[in-house]
Amino acid sequence: MLYIVPTPVGNLEDITLRAIRVLKEVDLILAEDTRTSSVLLKHYDIHTPLRSHHKFNEHETAAGVVDALLAGKQIALISDAGTPAISDPGFLLVRAAVEAGVEVQCLPGATAFVPALVDSGLPNDRFYFEGFLPQKKGRQTRLQQLAELKHTFIIYESPFRLVKTLQQLSAELGGERQASVSREISKVHEETRRGTLTELIEHFSQVPPKGEIVICVAGR
């Protein structure tokens, strides 16, 4: 069995009892960053062996992991925060496991964009999850495509690129488009700021943001 186990995006209490049990019972935990994950495992007194599995080695390690699964090992995959494979490594391993006939279970749990979407106050009966925009090639094209969406859409962004991204969105969508910026979700300094793109640009130009960022933008 390959378990996909969500981990807290902020507060360490944001993990399910089932996730803790699975992490204690499996033979091996694959982690995006073993140093980051060690903090969580130590907090919950989990002593399962830990191995690195990240975007720079997942092509090479996936086959070996599948072989271990086929040999009867129980393995859990976690990321630094949130649900693996959602803007984090995981897809390649899940696909390889499925193709090999290994059973895969993804546990429900934390992911950053859901609380950000609900907190935004924007329509959420239907929405589009973009994740991280392309950094260079294809970025302008993606922004133009997002401008045509009729539903709220969600972008992940670095605090260092937030203002630039808001400015690009404003140029394509118009400065009066409603949006929200959520940062430090589930942490001590959690904040969601709502307003037009113009208002958000003005605010974050004066108050540089910190922490992981989720942008929610109203549809056309």
Side-chain angles (χ1 to χ4, degrees), residues 5 7 23 29-32 37 40-41 50 76-80 84:
V5 182
T7 53
L23 293 177
I29 298 172
L30 302 175
E32 184 178 3
S37 297
L40 176 69
L41 300 185
L50 196 61
L77 174 67
I78 61 177
S79 60
D80 288 350

Side-chain angles (χ1 to χ4, degrees), residues 6-193:
T7 53
V9 297
N11 193 312
L12 290 182
E13 294 180 354
D14 293 338
I15 188 169
T16 67
L17 296 174
R18 181 184 175 202
I20 295 171
R21 177 181 59 79
V22 167
L23 293 177
K24 288 184 176 181
E25 291 179 353
V26 293
D27 300 300
L28 175 67
I29 298 172
L30 302 175
E32 184 178 3
D33 186 325
T34 55
R35 293 166 299 179
T36 299
S37 297
S38 292
V39 176
L40 176 69
L41 300 185
K42 182 178 180 181
H43 182 80
Y44 285 105
D45 196 30
I46 298 170
H47 303 285
T48 306
L50 196 61
R51 185 188 301 172
S52 177
H53 182 86
H54 48 70
K55 66 180 180 180
F56 300 109
N57 73 359
E58 60 179 338
H59 286 85
E60 291 76 24
T61 59
V65 173
V66 170
D67 287 342
L69 289 162
L70 291 172
K73 296 293 185 181
Q74 305 287 313
I75 298 177
L77 174 67
I78 61 177
S79 60
D80 288 350
T83 301
I86 303 297
S87 293
D88 275 326
F91 162 70
L92 290 177
L93 179 57
V94 170
R95 182 176 65 181
V98 169
E99 290 176 347
V102 173
E103 187 173 355
V104 178
Q105 282 191 7
C106 181
L107 278 60
T111 188
F113 76 80
V114 173
L117 174 62
V118 175
D119 282 348
S120 73
L122 299 172
N124 56 27
D125 55 331
R126 296 182 182 179
F127 60 89
Y128 178 84
F129 176 70
E130 172 67 16
F132 288 99
L133 288 165
Q135 287 305 301
K136 295 180 180 179
K137 185 178 180 181
R139 186 180 180 91
Q140 191 64 32
T141 299
R142 288 300 300 142
L143 288 167
Q144 292 170 352
Q145 292 169 341
L146 291 172
E148 296 303 313
L149 293 177
K150 296 181 180 180
H151 308 301
T152 301
F153 61 88
I154 303 160
I155 295 172
Y156 283 171
E157 191 52 277
S158 157
F160 308 107
R161 294 189 297 266
L162 174 61
V163 172
K164 178 180 178 181
T165 298
L166 291 173
Q167 290 170 336
Q168 293 173 327
L169 287 167
S170 178
E172 290 294 336
L173 283 61
E176 294 306 305
R177 183 74 66 94
Q178 291 290 319
S180 72
V181 173
S182 296
R183 65 180 193 86
E184 297 285 76
I185 291 172
S186 189
K187 297 180 182 178
V188 174
H189 301 293
E190 178 176 353
E191 175 192 27
T192 294
R193 183 161 290 271

